[in-house]
Amino acid sequence: MPSTQLNLATHLVRLDSETDFAGWRDAARRLAMNEITPEDVAWQVEQDGEDRGKDLPAVLADAKLVVPRDFIERAETVICHCDPERFGFLYRLLWRLRSEPKLLSIASDPDIRKLEATEKAVHRDVHKMRAFVRFRKIGEGTDERYVAWFEPEHFIVERNAHFFVRRFTGMRWSILTPYASADWDGEQLAIGPGAGKRDAPGEDDAEALWQTYFASIFNPARLKVKAMQREMPKKYWRNLPEASLIPDLIAGADKAASAMIDRMPTTPAPHHAKVKAKHWPTPEPSDVVAPEAGNIPELCEEAKGCRRCPLWRDATQTVFGEGPENADVIFVGEQPGDQEDLAGKPFVGPAGKVFDTILDDAEIDRRKVYVTNAVKHFKFEPRGKRRIHSKPNAGEIQACRWWLDKELDLVKPNLVVALGATAAQSLLGKAVPITKMRGDVIEREDGLRVFLTIHPSFILRIRDHEDKEAEKERFLGDMRKVKQLMAA
Ligand code: URA
């Protein structure tokens, strides 16, 4: 805060740290109850161990301050933003809420617009940290631990630390950032002071693994440099082992990408208008506001913040569907796996490889179909350093069906392929015996045709070579049927 402003204020609040929400709340309560206007307060983060709140008024015994719960939750997010004015801004909102109880729902109010933008920036930074923290191993045996260096834009280490505890429960790890560090010793989480990049280790063996993995999932035909830089801003590149590959991969991708763009369909297929006219039921729980998304990229953006079931907590990110919006067919899998969760794309791991190969053999161009999952977050059980796939339950399938229905509504496919039991359950609203009904086409009440088949990961699990090859042939047969049905 500029010193002139400090001098004009009659009350100075000193907070313990940049994320001292309890301190802010206590001070804001005292100030508001004593009718001290926002203009009369200056806020400062304590730098050198001075006492906090020396000149704060006492809480008045008979005064009452009612604040919407929603505001408190939102304020906890905003406090993590790096804007030094955020404490005063929040107090101004609190002050206004006393005489304008509906303020939070007035989207056109400049303060509310600022509140939303600030929250969004913090959420985005939290998401980036989850996606871009890379641990490096130090020590061996009982000394083994993992250390990562990360440079967040906002004060999000405390807020994010529990995510990493849940995700990497079986490892001992530290995440170092310039303003704070988080340390998990396998039993306890400690938040400590900031560190320097040199305190974190350099390259390790896992580096090469990451690079191989990244190069293998990198699809030149799907490259969007601007989107990629938006999702993985350059500032994070210097701490990502795979980032050293990006310039070369981009340079080599141009030709393949432009050839693909030339081949992309540009006008909707004629049957779309017919299907569009039909009624598409979209069950909508009352506690969620319907998004306004008018196309798949907008819907995908909205799904990034999905909290419709608890799976978002442990997953790295929402893995949304992918493919052209005028695709004739949608393939629906179960849920993203470990690699999809990291890459943010459906079917790029081992099951995706089987799927790609067999689609190719059936002469179905994956770039022209829409591929998604019944559940958009990876559900897993941590086992040591590994994350073991765990089947989504009926509630999670139902919660995520809302997104799948929106995808169907926007893409308006001619045919949907249910890959396995979870997809079938989501699309038909009930459990169906896949092995018995495989190859069947079920017409839903809304006229949409659903083709039933196995999930490609079923093939991966077959150990016997001959049985595996036979199952691949059957799946290829199913995909050939799909190809015929797509055009019908
Ligand atoms: N299995 C699925 O069902 N979906 C994916 O995206 C990957 C594996």
Side-chain angles (χ1 to χ4, degrees), residues 26 88 133 142 160 373 409 430 439 486:
D26 176 55
V133 155
T142 52
N160 239 347
N373 282 299
D409 209 8
K430 59 177 186 199
M486 274 161 69

Short mmCIF file of all heavy atoms in Angstrom, two decimals, residues 26 88 133 142 160 373 409 430 439 486:
data_model
loop_
_atom_site.label_atom_id
_atom_site.label_comp_id
_atom_site.label_asym_id
_atom_site.label_seq_id
_atom_site.Cartn_x
_atom_site.Cartn_y
_atom_site.Cartn_z
N ASP A 26 -11.10 -11.94 11.45
CA ASP A 26 -11.26 -11.37 12.79
C ASP A 26 -11.24 -9.84 12.72
O ASP A 26 -12.09 -9.16 13.30
CB ASP A 26 -10.12 -11.90 13.67
CG ASP A 26 -10.17 -11.28 15.06
OD1 ASP A 26 -11.24 -11.39 15.68
OD2 ASP A 26 -9.17 -10.67 15.48
N GLY A 88 -8.30 -5.17 1.39
CA GLY A 88 -9.20 -4.01 1.42
C GLY A 88 -10.41 -4.24 0.52
O GLY A 88 -11.53 -3.87 0.85
N VAL A 133 3.59 -29.54 -11.46
CA VAL A 133 4.63 -29.87 -10.47
C VAL A 133 5.29 -31.18 -10.90
O VAL A 133 4.61 -32.14 -11.24
CB VAL A 133 4.00 -30.01 -9.05
CG1 VAL A 133 4.85 -30.90 -8.17
CG2 VAL A 133 3.87 -28.64 -8.41
N THR A 142 15.83 -45.87 2.58
CA THR A 142 15.03 -45.17 3.59
C THR A 142 15.18 -43.65 3.47
O THR A 142 14.39 -42.90 4.02
CB THR A 142 15.45 -45.60 5.02
OG1 THR A 142 16.86 -45.45 5.12
CG2 THR A 142 15.02 -47.02 5.32
N ASN A 160 -3.24 -25.85 -1.88
CA ASN A 160 -3.07 -27.01 -2.75
C ASN A 160 -2.41 -28.20 -2.05
O ASN A 160 -2.42 -29.30 -2.58
CB ASN A 160 -2.19 -26.61 -3.95
CG ASN A 160 -2.90 -26.82 -5.26
OD1 ASN A 160 -3.93 -27.48 -5.31
ND2 ASN A 160 -2.33 -26.31 -6.32
N ASN A 373 -15.61 -39.74 -22.46
CA ASN A 373 -15.80 -40.74 -21.40
C ASN A 373 -17.08 -40.45 -20.64
O ASN A 373 -17.53 -39.31 -20.56
CB ASN A 373 -14.62 -40.68 -20.42
CG ASN A 373 -13.40 -41.36 -20.98
OD1 ASN A 373 -13.42 -42.56 -21.26
ND2 ASN A 373 -12.33 -40.61 -21.17
N ASP A 409 -25.78 -33.34 -27.09
CA ASP A 409 -26.65 -32.28 -27.56
C ASP A 409 -25.94 -31.36 -28.56
O ASP A 409 -26.53 -30.91 -29.53
CB ASP A 409 -27.07 -31.46 -26.32
CG ASP A 409 -28.43 -30.85 -26.52
OD1 ASP A 409 -29.07 -31.18 -27.51
OD2 ASP A 409 -28.83 -30.03 -25.67
N LYS A 430 -29.33 -47.44 -17.34
CA LYS A 430 -29.44 -48.67 -16.54
C LYS A 430 -28.28 -49.60 -16.90
O LYS A 430 -27.68 -49.46 -17.98
CB LYS A 430 -30.77 -49.37 -16.79
CG LYS A 430 -30.96 -49.76 -18.24
CD LYS A 430 -32.25 -50.51 -18.45
CE LYS A 430 -32.29 -50.98 -19.91
NZ LYS A 430 -33.50 -51.34 -20.47
N GLY A 439 -22.57 -55.90 -29.76
CA GLY A 439 -22.93 -55.86 -31.19
C GLY A 439 -24.36 -55.38 -31.41
O GLY A 439 -24.75 -55.06 -32.53
N MET A 486 -22.38 -45.79 -39.09
CA MET A 486 -22.11 -44.34 -39.09
C MET A 486 -22.73 -43.66 -40.30
O MET A 486 -23.24 -42.55 -40.23
CB MET A 486 -20.59 -44.09 -39.16
CG MET A 486 -19.89 -44.09 -37.84
SD MET A 486 -18.12 -44.32 -38.05
CE MET A 486 -17.60 -42.81 -38.82
#
